[in-house]
Amino acid sequence: MKRIFLMLLVLVVGMIAFGSVIVVYAHTPHVATVMPTPTSLPLNNWVDRQATVEPQIRSSVISQGNADLPEVALTFDDGPSPLFTPQILAILQKYNVHATFFTVGENVQNYPDLVQQEQSAGNVVANHSWNHPDLTTLANTDIQTQLSNTSNVIQQAAGTPPTFFRPPYGAIDGKVLAQAKALGLTPVLWSVDTEDWQLPGSPAIVNTALSQTANGSIVLMHDSGGNRSQTVAALPMIIEGLQQRGYQLVTIQQLYNHMPLVGSTSTTTAA
């Protein structure tokens, strides 16, 4: 009987203790650790915190600039060409604007003086592979050779290595992206294709450029790879038309510098 009494006593004490734990738990507010927002921190502390946080990664592939800024980047592929590149450079200089030239390694090797002129005039010289293959069809080592050899000849001609790269035909996949990243190259596509390579006529090239361009647009044209006389004829009207609409013409580097740090990776490619 005594033993039963002791067991009952232990049980009652345990229930009281358990109940007190439940009460304490039930009435103790749940406190979450909340990081201060920028507005709740002194400015100097927030700046220090930003400096120690790992930078947020930009889009892996650029095809559009900042949609909130009236900036447009004119880009030219496949050069340099001894016939058309000097004409395009002269037009850019006349209007005091700059562009980005995605150059082919073989042409850079043949015409290094033109690359030097592009660079010295304030334009950006970028990588467009060695001889314009579809890089997605190549092995990793061949992709690396295409890009590294082109970067090397650009550096020899321009004095600085390129930091941007445009895959021929806009063809890019994971292995191409990985090789570009390993070489310090940021892939750049486009948002407006003038289709000047189809020789649609200068008015059509101008109409496409002006009607499809918006804030942050990257406009694709060519200064080599065929007859580019229509592109040369269209360029002054494109520049004037964009400027009249309030756009500032910038290089890809400038466009990149003004992009938001947070962005979605572009999945759109063009042929």
Side-chain angles (χ1 to χ4, degrees):
M1 187 71 179
K2 185 177 180 179
R3 183 177 180 182
I4 294 174
F5 176 78
L6 290 174
M7 291 177 64
L8 290 173
L9 181 62
V10 170
L11 179 62
V12 170
V13 171
M15 290 180 65
I16 294 173
F18 181 71
S20 65
V21 172
I22 293 177
V23 170
V24 171
Y25 177 82
H27 292 281
T28 301
H30 176 68
V31 179
T33 302
V34 180
M35 295 297 293
T37 62
T39 55
S40 66
L41 282 171
L43 180 59
N44 58 336
N45 289 342
W46 176 244
V47 172
D48 291 341
R49 182 180 294 275
Q50 281 184 316
T52 59
V53 173
E54 182 179 354
Q56 293 172 311
I57 300 173
R58 298 174 190 263
S59 299
S60 297
V61 180
I62 299 172
S63 61
Q64 171 74 31
N66 192 329
D68 294 326
L69 296 178
E71 298 179 332
V72 174
L74 301 180
T75 67
F76 299 89
D77 284 12
D78 299 349
S81 157
L83 178 58
F84 300 109
T85 302
Q87 297 180 64
I88 289 175
L89 287 174
I91 295 170
L92 296 175
Q93 183 177 18
K94 175 183 177 181
Y95 289 93
N96 193 30
V97 298
H98 302 111
T100 302
F101 291 86
F102 289 92
T103 58
V104 173
E106 285 185 335
N107 291 337
V108 174
Q109 186 177 58
N110 292 332
Y111 310 107
D113 57 322
L114 292 177
V115 174
Q116 197 280 328
Q117 290 177 35
E118 293 171 349
Q119 178 85 0
S120 62
N123 303 292
V124 168
V125 181
N127 189 319
H128 195 42
S129 81
W130 184 259
N131 58 0
H132 209 277
D134 180 343
L135 296 175
T136 63
T137 66
L138 303 183
N140 287 335
T141 54
D142 293 329
I143 298 171
Q144 183 183 49
T145 299
Q146 284 277 335
L147 300 185
S148 62
N149 286 356
T150 303
S151 289
N152 289 340
V153 293
I154 290 175
Q155 182 170 4
Q156 292 169 11
T160 57
T163 56
F164 296 101
F165 147 70
R166 175 171 284 164
Y169 315 107
I172 189 167
D173 59 10
K175 64 179 181 178
V176 175
L177 185 61
Q179 293 301 319
K181 182 179 179 180
L183 294 170
L185 296 169
T186 299
V188 178
L189 299 180
W190 55 86
S191 57
V192 177
D193 185 357
T194 63
E195 298 186 343
D196 60 340
W197 59 274
Q198 296 194 49
L199 303 179
S202 295
I205 296 172
V206 174
N207 180 66
T208 299
L210 298 185
S211 64
Q212 296 185 18
T213 293
N215 285 356
S217 288
I218 300 174
V219 182
L220 171 63
M221 291 179 281
H222 299 79
D223 63 326
S224 188
N227 183 352
R228 304 305 176 210
S229 59
Q230 293 181 3
T231 303
V232 172
L235 185 57
M237 291 179 281
I238 291 174
I239 293 174
E240 292 177 7
L242 293 176
Q243 289 179 332
Q244 289 170 3
R245 287 162 171 78
Y247 292 112
Q248 180 182 0
L249 301 180
V250 299
T251 65
I252 288 296
Q253 182 64 66
Q254 293 170 304
L255 199 77
Y256 179 81
N257 291 346
H258 298 159
M259 288 176 62
L261 289 178
V262 179
S264 59
T265 301
S266 172
T267 58
T268 302
T269 60

